């Protein structure tokens, strides 16, 4: 093209995605050619692309339909590749792991929101927490702690175990919590001694479940509650 042609006609640069037949290519971006050094940026998606030049023409019919006609048969193919680092086994495995983590997080939080819509803002209508067929997060954990965990995550956020632990309204800290653990500890020790007088029983008073343990517990609780239609006041 020269400057005169550009001034007298309407031309477009069109980027298409695909490398096989034209039927399989899809136009993804276009730009009018205003000068001899027109610049058009391509998307950052990996794949095969082609650039073609088209001229806007009008059909010799009463309706004068506008037509885009390719100028010549030439097209410029190019490939958008990923950085080599993004193709390493370590990067791909970490990406897959993090993707799964985020997916689990979003599923759990969406389900948690549905549970609170169903049972009330303080779960006041939840009178029964389903039993899970897995080991409790720690030796002192009960179904009441499951309910506290749901409230804590809903109020403080996913993975915020420290905030959940220190929330005075949840009962995971403070003097009342210590007295509860001490009482429960003595009962458990007495029961173990009856079974085996020589048993060495350890129930650490400062033990609190890890973030990953609580996240897994949350996911199982949400799944169990959403599949259960129990304990809703009419």
């Amino acid at each position: 093209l020269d400057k005169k042609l550009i001034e007298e006609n309407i031309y477009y640069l069109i980027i298409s995605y695909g490398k096989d037949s034209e039927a399989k290519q899809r136009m993804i971006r276009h730009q009018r050619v205003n000068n001899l050094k027109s610049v058009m940026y391509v998307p950052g998606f990996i794949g095969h692309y082609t650039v073609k030049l088209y001229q806007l023409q009008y059909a010799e019919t009463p309706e004068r339909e506008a037509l885009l006609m390719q100028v010549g048969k030439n097209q410029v193919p190019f490939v958008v590749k990923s950085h080599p680092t993004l193709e390493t086994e370590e990067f791909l495995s970490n990406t897959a792991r993090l993707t799964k983590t985020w997916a689990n997080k979003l599923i759990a939080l969406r389900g948690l929101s549905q549970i609170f819509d169903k049972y009330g803002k303080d779960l006041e209508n939840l009178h029964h927490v389903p039993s899970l067929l897995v080991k409790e997060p720690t030796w002192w954990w009960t179904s009441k702690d499951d309910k506290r965990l749901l409230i804590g995550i809903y109020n403080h956020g996913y993975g915020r175990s420290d905030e959940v632990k220190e929330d005075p309204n949840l009962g995971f800290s403070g003097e009342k919590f210590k007295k509860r653990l001490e009482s429960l500890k003595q009962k458990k020790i007495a029961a173990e001694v009856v079974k085996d007088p020589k048993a060495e029983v350890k129930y650490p008073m400062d033990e609190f479940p890890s973030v990953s343990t609580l996240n897994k517990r949350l996911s199982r609780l949400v799944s169990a509650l959403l599949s259960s239609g129990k304990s809703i006041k009419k």
Side-chain angles (χ1 to χ4, degrees):
L1 297 178
D2 57 32
K3 186 176 180 181
K4 184 178 180 181
L5 281 174
I6 293 175
E7 292 175 349
E8 295 178 350
N9 299 278
I10 300 176
Y11 293 96
Y12 282 91
L13 280 174
I14 293 180
I15 293 180
S16 300
Y17 181 80
K19 68 174 182 177
D20 298 319
S21 64
E22 190 165 344
K24 294 184 178 180
Q25 294 179 356
R26 297 291 182 267
M27 184 182 75
I28 58 172
R29 187 163 295 178
H30 68 277
Q31 176 177 294
R32 183 170 176 177
V33 179
N34 295 316
N35 55 63
L36 295 176
K37 293 184 179 180
S38 294
V39 176
M40 180 167 53
Y41 294 97
V42 301
F45 301 105
I46 299 170
H48 295 262
Y49 299 83
T50 57
V51 179
K52 301 176 184 178
L53 180 65
Y54 287 83
Q55 181 183 359
L56 183 65
Q57 300 179 353
Y58 294 93
E60 297 296 331
T61 62
E63 293 81 10
R64 297 277 292 169
E65 296 98 340
L67 303 173
L68 275 176
M69 306 297 294
Q70 184 176 347
V71 178
K73 297 297 182 181
N74 294 325
Q75 60 184 32
V76 180
F78 63 96
V79 179
V80 177
K81 296 182 178 181
S82 63
H83 191 278
T85 302
L86 305 182
E87 297 178 356
T88 62
E89 183 177 348
E90 180 182 4
F91 176 83
L92 294 175
S93 62
N94 287 338
T95 301
R97 177 177 56 81
L98 292 174
T99 299
K100 184 178 180 181
T101 298
W102 275 97
N104 290 339
K105 176 180 178 179
L106 294 174
I107 291 171
L109 291 178
R110 181 176 182 273
L112 189 63
S113 179
Q114 293 174 332
I115 288 170
F116 274 80
D117 288 343
K118 186 176 182 179
Y119 294 104
K121 65 177 183 178
D122 295 318
L123 299 184
E124 61 270 17
N125 295 322
L126 179 61
H127 308 300
H128 171 76
V129 178
S131 298
L132 303 179
L133 301 178
V134 293
K135 185 179 179 180
E136 285 75 14
T138 186
W139 64 270
W140 48 261
W141 198 271
T142 68
S143 60
K144 291 182 179 179
D145 296 305
D146 282 331
K147 188 172 180 178
R148 295 183 181 110
L149 175 64
L150 293 169
I151 296 172
I153 297 299
Y154 185 78
N155 290 336
H156 297 288
Y158 189 90
R160 303 280 185 174
S161 61
D162 288 341
E163 288 84 346
V164 171
K165 178 182 178 181
E166 299 301 327
D167 188 332
N169 297 317
L170 295 177
F172 286 131
S173 60
E175 289 301 319
K176 188 175 181 179
F177 177 66
K178 291 179 181 179
K179 290 180 180 179
R180 172 197 164 195
L181 261 58
E182 185 61 42
S183 175
L184 183 60
K185 178 181 178 179
Q186 295 305 322
K187 291 179 181 179
K188 285 184 172 290
I189 290 176
E192 292 292 338
V193 169
V194 171
K195 293 180 182 179
D196 183 2
K198 297 182 179 180
E200 294 185 7
V201 184
K202 294 182 179 180
Y203 294 105
M205 297 291 288
D206 58 349
E207 183 177 283
F208 194 80
S210 65
V211 175
S212 61
T213 298
L214 292 180
N215 288 345
K216 291 177 183 177
R217 187 77 178 182
L218 173 70
S219 296
R220 293 189 175 102
L221 283 170
V222 168
S223 178
L225 283 168
L226 290 179
S227 62
S228 172
K230 298 179 181 179
S231 307
I232 305 179
K233 288 182 179 180
K234 302 296 184 182

